[in-house]
């Protein structure tokens, strides 16, 4: 499969300036849990940066997000994502949007298994789809705390929390970019805190 065919099948990858090697995003409006939390002050989804704000409000970006969402069920989606991701050292799932279903997560697992040289990071609010057993060694599923400024629970191994001040994510101090930091992709790092933005 050629790269242009893979882009047609999947809707292509996203290229947020913060990330080292690209991402794959979906509309924030399609976040099942996120849309509920978006109405609750003190949650990371309240006034979400990707919900019709910044560049996410532009028609071409909205069209691309919707195109990716519509193509998740394409029978060659896994094969096409492998073509697009192969050769990348780090990949982030969902710089906007989230897991849509158990089958969506299983397809992500398959992409990770077939790109073993890539470290994958998947932030999520969708606890109901998380596996009870193991998942690919090259994937970190980082469960987002549903309330800001709270300590992570014991129900999952890797967490993230939005905090009103401070935070150990260095992006806000380096032009809103990951730079050389790869903490979010590391299984050794159990908890990451992000300053509210």
């Amino acid at each position: 499969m050629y790269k242009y065919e893979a882009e047609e099948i999947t809707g292509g990858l996203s290229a947020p300036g913060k990330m080292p090697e690209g991402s794959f995003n979906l509309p924030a409006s399609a976040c099942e849990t996120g849309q509920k939390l978006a109405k609750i002050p003190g949650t990371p989804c309240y006034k979400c940066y990707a919900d019709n704000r910044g560049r996410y409000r532009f028609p071409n970006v909205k069209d691309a997000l919707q195109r990716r969402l519509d193509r998740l069920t394409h029978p060659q989606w896994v094969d096409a994502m492998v073509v697009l991701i192969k050769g990348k050292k780090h990949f982030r799932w969902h710089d906007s949007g989230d897991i849509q279903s158990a089958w969506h997560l299983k397809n992500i697992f398959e992409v990770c298994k077939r790109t073993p040289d890539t470290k994958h990071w998947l932030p999520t609010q969708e606890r109901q789809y998380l596996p009870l057993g193991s998942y690919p060694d090259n994937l970190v599923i980082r469960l987002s705390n549903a309330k800001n400024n709270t300590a992570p629970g014991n129900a999952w191994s890797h967490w993230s929390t939005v905090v009103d001040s401070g935070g150990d994510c260095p992006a806000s101090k380096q032009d809103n970019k990951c730079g050389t930091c790869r903490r979010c992709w590391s299984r050794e790092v159990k908890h990451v805190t992000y300053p509210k933005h």
Side-chain angles (χ1 to χ4, degrees):
M1 181 184 298
Y2 293 106
K3 184 177 178 183
Y4 75 88
E5 295 173 303
E7 288 174 344
E8 180 63 29
I9 288 167
T10 63
L13 302 181
S14 58
K18 180 179 182 180
M19 296 297 118
E21 296 178 85
S23 184
F24 182 82
N25 58 17
L26 300 171
S29 59
C31 295
E32 188 176 337
T33 300
Q35 283 303 298
K36 294 172 188 168
L37 293 175
K39 299 175 179 74
I40 305 170
T43 70
C45 301
Y46 185 66
K47 296 186 177 179
C48 173
Y49 67 87
D51 196 6
N52 210 25
R53 297 173 194 277
R55 293 179 187 223
Y56 293 94
R57 73 184 187 280
F58 297 152
N60 63 323
V61 174
K62 287 182 178 182
D63 289 347
L65 293 167
Q66 188 61 47
R67 186 171 59 246
R68 291 183 194 108
L69 180 65
D70 293 343
R71 294 185 183 167
L72 285 179
T73 56
H74 191 287
Q76 290 182 291
W77 186 85
V78 169
D79 294 334
M81 287 300 294
V82 169
V83 168
L84 295 177
I85 293 172
K86 206 163 248 186
K88 295 183 182 300
K89 292 182 180 177
H90 298 87
F91 189 76
R92 176 181 175 172
W93 293 92
H94 308 139
D95 59 281
S96 72
D98 210 330
I99 303 166
Q100 297 297 297
S101 63
W103 61 260
H104 181 201
L105 183 59
K106 286 178 184 175
N107 281 345
I108 290 172
F109 284 4
E110 186 59 28
V111 172
C112 294
K113 288 174 187 172
R114 290 170 55 185
T115 54
D117 296 329
T118 303
K119 289 187 176 183
H120 295 262
W121 160 37
L122 172 63
T124 186
Q125 285 283 358
E126 305 299 351
R127 292 159 168 76
Q128 72 272 26
Y129 301 131
L130 295 183
L132 296 174
S134 63
Y135 54 94
D137 289 341
N138 61 331
L139 170 65
V140 172
I141 300 176
R142 207 166 281 287
L143 187 61
S144 301
N145 266 349
K147 293 287 278 180
N148 295 348
N149 304 304
T150 56
N154 296 319
W156 194 249
S157 57
H158 296 88
W159 291 83
S160 67
T161 304
V162 171
V163 293
D164 288 339
S165 62
D168 51 27
C169 171
S172 62
K173 299 178 184 103
Q174 48 195 37
D175 199 26
N176 289 319
K177 290 181 169 49
C178 295
T180 58
C181 180
R182 298 294 180 269
R183 296 180 77 244
C184 294
W185 287 269
S186 173
R187 281 203 171 191
E188 302 303 310
V189 178
K190 301 301 183 184
H191 186 216
V192 177
T193 54
Y194 306 110
K196 186 174 166 184
H197 63 284

